[in-house]
Amino acid sequence: MTTKWIGALLVIAGCGGFGFSLAAAHRREVRELQGLLRSLEFMQWELTYRLTPLPELCAQAGREAGGVLMKVFSDLSGELNRQISPDVPSCMQVSLGRYRSALTPRGRKLLFQLGRSLGRFDLAGQLKSLKALQRACQDALVSLERDKDVRMRNYQTLGLCAGAALAIIFA
């Protein structure tokens, strides 16, 4: 009898943990997009007022973002410094490949778009593409923030309820 109770508690805890991990992934994506937005704003101001070279700009933007984005941008900066004639999209592809599992799909997509626009256009074109990426990042943040608290509680509650339902079914 006690093994059934222990099994039921383990099933409930496992399913509840899954719900809590979904909520944590949601929070991580919000933090990642906020950091990316800070980096994009920093890049825009640096390009507007200082015309910072691209490898240095990426390294500084990484320090602005922090977390996994700091690693991606510093890696991108290193890739740009190592190549004789740097191709920013391919350097970004290499950098994103190294940190693929640490980034969210939405963050990877936005960073890939950033790599396709940096160094490709003149200053006005780069600033325009940075603005477009900022808007896309803000839109993604708005959609994630909408009903965030309710969604997080739902993830957690559904995990616990699914665990309880499984425990009842197996008992």
Side-chain angles (χ1 to χ4, degrees):
M1 187 67 167
T2 52
T3 56
K4 282 187 179 183
W5 282 104
I6 291 172
L9 288 176
L10 288 175
V11 167
I12 292 170
C15 289
F18 182 71
F20 280 87
S21 72
L22 286 176
H26 187 275
R27 281 191 289 274
R28 184 174 64 102
E29 186 172 15
V30 168
R31 279 193 311 273
E32 184 178 294
L33 288 175
Q34 288 170 342
L36 182 58
L37 187 59
R38 277 193 308 274
S39 292
L40 292 172
E41 289 170 352
F42 176 79
M43 289 174 132
Q44 180 186 4
W45 291 114
E46 281 291 312
L47 285 175
T48 301
Y49 295 112
R50 291 190 52 209
L51 291 174
T52 307
L54 203 50
E56 183 182 333
L57 178 69
C58 291
Q60 290 175 352
R63 286 191 290 273
E64 280 294 312
V68 71
L69 291 174
M70 183 170 104
K71 295 176 185 177
V72 170
F73 279 121
S74 64
D75 192 58
L76 176 62
S77 174
E79 284 291 322
L80 290 170
N81 280 328
R82 280 191 286 277
Q83 292 194 354
I84 294 168
S85 61
D87 176 32
V88 182
S90 64
C91 291
M92 180 63 90
Q93 197 81 3
V94 169
S95 182
L96 288 176
R98 289 189 182 128
Y99 300 102
R100 184 169 184 78
S101 62
L103 291 167
T104 61
R106 199 177 302 192
R108 276 194 310 269
K109 180 183 172 190
L110 289 170
L111 284 169
F112 181 72
Q113 289 174 350
L114 175 66
R116 289 182 57 206
S117 64
L118 279 181
R120 184 174 176 198
F121 305 112
D122 62 344
L123 178 62
Q126 287 186 40
L127 291 174
K128 186 177 178 181
S129 67
L130 284 173
K131 278 278 194 198
L133 282 170
Q134 284 176 353
R135 278 192 304 274
C137 195
Q138 287 169 343
D139 291 345
L141 275 171
V142 165
S143 73
L144 285 174
E145 291 289 334
R146 191 177 318 120
D147 300 328
K148 179 180 99 173
D149 294 331
V150 172
R151 186 177 303 144
M152 304 273 263
R153 276 194 309 265
N154 285 345
Y155 288 152
Q156 295 164 353
T157 304
L158 283 173
L160 290 171
C161 289
L166 282 174
I168 290 169
I169 289 171
F170 289 146

